Amino acid sequence: MNEKENEIERGATPELAEQNRNTITVEQLLQAYKQGKRDFRNIVLRKADLCCMDFSDADFSGADLRGSDLSGSVFSRANFEGADLSDARCVDAIFDNANLQNADLSFADLDYANFEGANLQSASLIGADANAEFNHANLQNANLVGTRISSAHFGDANVFGVKIRMGDIKAFVVCRQD
C-alpha cells in the first residue's frame, strides 16, 4: 500500500493529506525567505503572526493564510493569485504592485493598507474593512459587497464591473473605458 492509500485508510482525505504536506511554520517560512527562497505556492499557514516582515517578490499563489496577521508587512510585487486571506489582519500592510487576482480577502482588515498598482481583478473583498489606498489598482470585476470603503482612495483605479452594496444601495459599477 502506498503512502496516500495509508493516509486515506487512517481516515485522512486526499485534501487533508495535501494540506498537511504544504503546512509550514512561521519559522520555516522566515528561514526559507532569508535563504533566498521566494516560492511559497499553496502553503498552509493559518492564523500566523507575520507582522512587520518583508516578503517582497514572494509567490504565495494559492496559499492559505486565513486568519493570519500581516499588519505592517511589505509584500511589494508579491503574487497572491488565488490565495485565501479571508479574516486576515493586514492593517498598514504594503501590497504595491502585487498580484491578488482571484484572491479571497473576505472579512479581512485592510485599513490603511497600500494596494497601489496592485492587481485585484476578480478578488473578493466581501465584508472587509478596506479604508485603504487603491490608486492605480486593477479592481475589475472585484466583489466589494458589504466592504467598508468610506475613506478609501481609488485614484486612476480600474473599477470596471466592481460589485458594491452599501446599506440599501446596490450598485454594479460600469465605467467607460477609452
Side-chain angles (χ1 to χ4, degrees):
M1 200 179 294
N2 67 33
E3 184 179 324
K4 189 173 185 177
E5 289 171 332
N6 283 334
E7 288 182 36
I8 292 171
E9 190 170 285
R10 289 190 308 257
T13 64
E15 293 80 19
L16 283 176
E18 182 68 17
Q19 175 184 319
N20 289 336
R21 191 171 61 83
N22 293 332
T23 300
I24 67 171
T25 65
V26 173
E27 292 77 22
Q28 290 169 325
L29 175 67
L30 290 172
Q31 184 67 26
Y33 190 84
K34 285 178 185 174
Q35 292 174 349
K37 182 177 179 184
R38 298 296 181 264
D39 185 355
F40 303 107
R41 289 177 288 176
N42 300 311
I43 65 162
V44 177
L45 191 60
R46 295 183 191 149
K47 297 183 181 179
D49 183 358
L50 300 174
C51 290
C52 303
M53 298 179 189
D54 187 345
F55 291 104
S56 295
D57 301 304
D59 186 353
F60 290 101
S61 56
D64 183 351
L65 296 165
R66 286 181 273 178
S68 292
D69 191 348
L70 312 175
S71 297
S73 290
V74 178
F75 298 97
S76 296
R77 300 167 309 280
N79 184 9
F80 285 93
E81 185 171 354
D84 189 345
L85 295 159
S86 58
D87 296 310
R89 182 169 163 78
C90 303
V91 175
D92 209 29
I94 298 172
F95 293 92
D96 62 317
N97 300 299
N99 180 15
L100 293 119
Q101 188 172 353
N102 296 307
D104 185 355
L105 295 153
S106 300
F107 303 100
D109 188 348
L110 309 173
D111 283 346
Y112 310 107
N114 182 341
F115 292 94
E116 185 153 350
N119 181 5
L120 291 134
Q121 185 173 351
S122 300
S124 175
L125 283 80
I126 294 171
D129 290 325
N131 290 306
E133 297 289 330
F134 294 98
N135 297 321
H136 307 284
N138 178 11
L139 290 122
Q140 184 173 351
N141 298 321
N143 190 343
L144 276 65
V145 172
T147 302
R148 286 173 284 289
I149 53 171
S150 59
S151 300
H153 298 109
F154 293 92
D156 286 328
N158 177 2
V159 293
F160 185 80
V162 168
K163 297 171 209 66
I164 299 174
R165 182 179 68 210
M166 292 176 269
D168 292 331
I169 300 170
K170 295 179 184 176
F172 187 74
V173 179
V174 179
C175 298
R176 196 178 83 210
Q177 290 184 335
D178 297 328

